[in-house]
């Protein structure tokens, strides 16, 4: 299953899109909030303060912290069954979680099978004034 | 094959190793590499792309095109899934989640420094500058430079740059030729061959924009169209229809303005 998800396009989602993404391969970026004592589950919060529960087939074999990007499939319970993850380096530069609109843009764009995604951004859109 | 192909590229150090791949159609049974057409502008831009765009690029008269935009030198940002060392090159697989990973070959040339080059580590994000090569069916990225990201905000910037670059290039093309590129969607909306565009994402975004609008009369369809770029009017109307049926929004002054019910 791990290999299978790797070969497929993954939608980048935030927590509010989990319910609509059941059974789909997804990519989720969030900050580590909590690890379950068994090491087989952890919670990540997204850029909008909502959380996703990440389940693992095997317990974690290392310490994880900070920003984690998870690749996996959304379960019927709207958790993510993780097939792989990477930790974002924050030693020298803190990571600014993308605005909600970015995850939306990415999801729409990259769900297309062909060529260039459509431009979602309006050129005059001022991101600095948009809320999270 | 001279240095002149890379001579005008500025920031990159031209390596004979990289240009070596242009010699002759086949080397050891690998897919034939294309020669970049010499008649093209000598200064080639670097176009930020996602892997999906590269792998679905069409081959038109020996030139790769993404939605009518010529792509040759590109940049991608993705996770290094594999790094295999061979005598004269390192073969990477770069994954940016948009589709399966793309093969990326970094030729090492004969210089001692290059030969001693250690492959980049697997499982980390890297930025890759390269040239798209191969055939319509099998594509490979010929690496000019690969470096591990130290600042993960570069990952976000690359995505934004990709969006922006392709949008600007498409607009420029439209302006130059007076019409959209042949493969661009018409005003009718996203053609079925583009595959599924998740309607729930569109619904969520339309609802969000309506919800955010503080005005009494609500958000107009025209504004939604402007803010949602080239999403078709059909897609937006379908989202509005769904949201109304579900009771999330209601029309206000006319059939063109909506407010959030929440």
């Amino acid at each position: 299953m791990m290999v299978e998800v790797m070969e497929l396009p993954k939608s980048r989602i935030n927590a509010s899109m989990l319910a609509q993404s059941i059974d789909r391969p997804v990519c989720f970026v969030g900050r580590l909030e909590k690890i379950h004592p068994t090491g087989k589950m952890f919670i990540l919060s997204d850029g909008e303060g909502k959380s996703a529960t990440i389940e693992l087939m095997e317990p974690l074999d290392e310490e994880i912290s900070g920003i984690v990007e998870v690749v996996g499939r959304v379960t019927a319970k709207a958790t993510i069954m993780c097939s792989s993850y990477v930790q974002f380096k924050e030693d020298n530069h803190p990571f600014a979680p993308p605005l909600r609109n970015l995850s939306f843009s990415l999801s729409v764009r990259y769900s297309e099978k062909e060529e260039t995604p459509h431009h979602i951004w309006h050129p005059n859109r001022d991101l600095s004034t948009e809320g999270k | 094959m001279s240095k002149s192909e890379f001579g005008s590229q500025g920031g990159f150090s031209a390596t004979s190793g990289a240009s070596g791949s242009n010699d002759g159609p086949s080397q050891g049974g690998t897919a034939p590499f294309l020669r970049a057409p010499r008649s093209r502008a000598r200064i080639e831009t670097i176009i930020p792309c996602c892997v999906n765009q590269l792998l679905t690029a069409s081959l038109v008269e020996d030139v790769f095109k993404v939605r009518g935009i010529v792509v040759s030198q590109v940049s991608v940002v993705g996770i290094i899934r594999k790094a295999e060392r061979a005598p004269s090159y390192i073969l990477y697989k770069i994954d940016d989640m948009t589709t399966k990973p793309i093969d990326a070959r970094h030729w090492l040339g004969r210089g001692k420094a290059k030969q001693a080059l250690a492959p980049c580590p697997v499982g980390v994000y890297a930025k890759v500058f390269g040239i798209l090569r191969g055939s319509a069916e099998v594509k490979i990225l010929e690496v000019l430079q690969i470096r591990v990201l130290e600042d993960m905000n570069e990952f976000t910037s690359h995505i934004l740059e990709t969006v922006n670059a392709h949008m600007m290039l498409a607009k420029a093309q439209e302006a130059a030729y007076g019409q959209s590129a042949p493969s661009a969607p018409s005003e009718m909306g996203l053609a079925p061959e583009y595959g599924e565009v998740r309607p729930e994402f569109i619904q969520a975004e339309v609802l969000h924009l309506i919800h955010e609008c503080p005005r009494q009369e609500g958000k107009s369809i025209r504004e939604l169209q402007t803010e949602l770029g080239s999403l078709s009017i059909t897609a937006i109307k379908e989202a509005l229809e769904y949201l109304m049926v579900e009771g999330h929004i209601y029309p206000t002054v006319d059939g063109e303005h909506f407010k959030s019910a929440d």
Side-chain angles (χ1 to χ4, degrees):
Chain A
M1 174 168 152
M2 202 164 143
V3 172
E4 178 197 295
V5 169
M6 183 88 64
E7 300 291 302
L8 298 171
K10 269 93 46 195
S11 304
R12 287 187 179 276
I13 61 166
N14 50 22
S16 54
M17 300 307 305
L18 280 168
Q20 289 105 314
S21 308
I22 307 257
D23 212 34
R24 294 186 186 266
V26 298
C27 180
F28 184 94
V29 177
R31 188 171 287 283
L32 182 70
E33 298 296 337
K34 216 150 105 165
I35 304 178
H36 192 268
T38 60
K40 288 185 76 175
M41 195 162 84
F42 56 88
I43 314 256
L44 298 178
S45 61
D46 67 15
E48 295 167 24
K50 300 211 183 77
S51 301
T53 301
I54 316 296
E55 295 184 79
L56 300 160
M57 310 229 251
E58 298 297 325
L60 284 167
D61 60 1
E62 59 173 349
E63 284 278 337
I64 59 170
S65 65
I67 307 283
V68 182
E69 181 186 75
V70 165
V71 165
R73 215 179 261 276
V74 181
T75 68
K77 299 169 289 174
T79 63
I80 301 176
M81 181 54 77
C82 170
S83 56
S84 69
Y85 67 85
V86 300
Q87 296 183 73
F88 278 17
K89 255 190 256 212
E90 279 192 297
D91 315 338
N92 303 315
H93 307 272
F95 178 69
L99 299 170
R100 75 175 302 287
N101 299 299
L102 183 64
S103 20
F104 164 73
S105 309
L106 301 183
S107 306
V108 173
R109 298 171 149 282
Y110 297 153
S111 65
E112 292 177 56
K113 289 197 180 120
E114 232 206 64
E115 297 189 356
T116 311
H118 306 289
H119 43 276
I120 301 293
W121 299 107
H122 186 271
N124 296 326
R125 198 169 188 180
D126 182 4
L127 292 183
S128 63
T129 61
E130 297 207 297
K132 273 171 48 160
Chain B
M1 188 49 239
S2 68
K3 284 178 274 192
S4 65
E5 186 190 20
F6 299 114
S8 58
Q9 304 317 324
F12 295 116
S13 51
T15 60
S16 54
S19 49
S21 63
N22 285 332
D23 296 334
S26 58
Q27 303 200 10
T30 54
F33 289 116
L34 296 175
R35 291 167 58 82
R38 295 291 169 264
S39 56
R40 295 257 147 215
R42 277 171 312 190
I43 296 175
E44 286 184 44
T45 53
I46 301 167
I47 306 194
C49 295
C50 62
V51 171
N52 188 40
Q53 290 173 317
L54 299 183
L55 293 182
T56 59
S58 50
L59 192 50
V60 178
E61 286 166 18
D62 272 4
V63 158
F64 285 112
K65 287 190 173 185
V66 172
R67 273 267 193 92
I69 297 162
V70 175
V71 290
S72 174
Q73 288 196 136
V74 297
S75 65
V76 292
V77 167
I79 297 180
I80 299 175
R81 292 293 188 196
K82 232 182 188 170
E84 286 171 356
R85 179 69 205 256
S88 55
Y89 62 83
I90 300 172
L91 184 64
Y92 294 101
K93 278 198 188 291
I94 307 294
D95 180 8
D96 71 353
M97 312 299 173
T98 60
T99 182
K100 61 182 184 183
I102 188 170
D103 285 333
R105 183 173 297 147
H106 193 184
W107 292 99
L108 299 175
R110 285 182 225 102
K112 276 206 191 118
K114 268 287 180 86
Q115 281 293 321
L117 201 65
C120 290
V122 164
V124 293
Y125 266 95
K127 183 149 193 177
V128 184
F129 293 93
I131 299 176
L132 187 61
R133 304 276 194 208
S135 60
E137 301 81 35
V138 181
K139 300 189 179 81
I140 189 164
L141 191 56
E142 186 183 280
V143 176
L144 295 167
Q145 191 203 59
I146 178 168
R147 68 177 162 79
V148 170
L149 291 191
E150 292 299 319
D151 180 354
M152 285 308 297
N153 294 301
E154 275 197 79
F155 147 81
T156 311
S157 321
H158 177 80
I159 293 171
L160 292 170
E161 284 164 13
T162 302
V163 172
N164 192 50
H166 287 268
M167 177 180 76
M168 283 169 48
L169 288 167
K171 278 194 192 272
Q173 193 164 59
E174 216 169 306
Y177 298 108
Q179 65 187 17
S180 304
S183 54
S186 65
E187 275 302 283
M188 290 307 289
L190 303 164
E193 66 265 19
Y194 285 153
E196 44 175 349
V197 178
R198 310 264 308 273
E200 48 270 29
F201 286 129
I202 302 176
Q203 289 153 14
E205 188 62 12
V206 167
L207 180 59
H208 177 78
L209 290 170
I210 293 173
H211 191 78
E212 267 188 342
C213 179
R215 293 192 312 275
Q216 276 282 56
E217 70 273 20
K219 195 89 173 174
S220 73
I221 295 186
R222 197 166 299 261
E223 279 173 302
L224 287 171
Q225 230 186 329
T226 305
E227 287 170 39
L228 292 169
S230 65
L231 268 186
S232 71
I233 188 67
T234 314
I236 295 173
K237 283 187 171 167
E238 276 172 8
L240 289 168
E241 190 62 42
Y242 172 86
L243 291 170
M244 271 195 284
V245 164
E246 294 291 309
H248 295 299
I249 62 173
Y250 58 92
T252 59
V253 294
D254 53 15
E256 306 275 308
H257 289 75
F258 300 88
K259 270 189 90 64
S260 162
D262 306 315

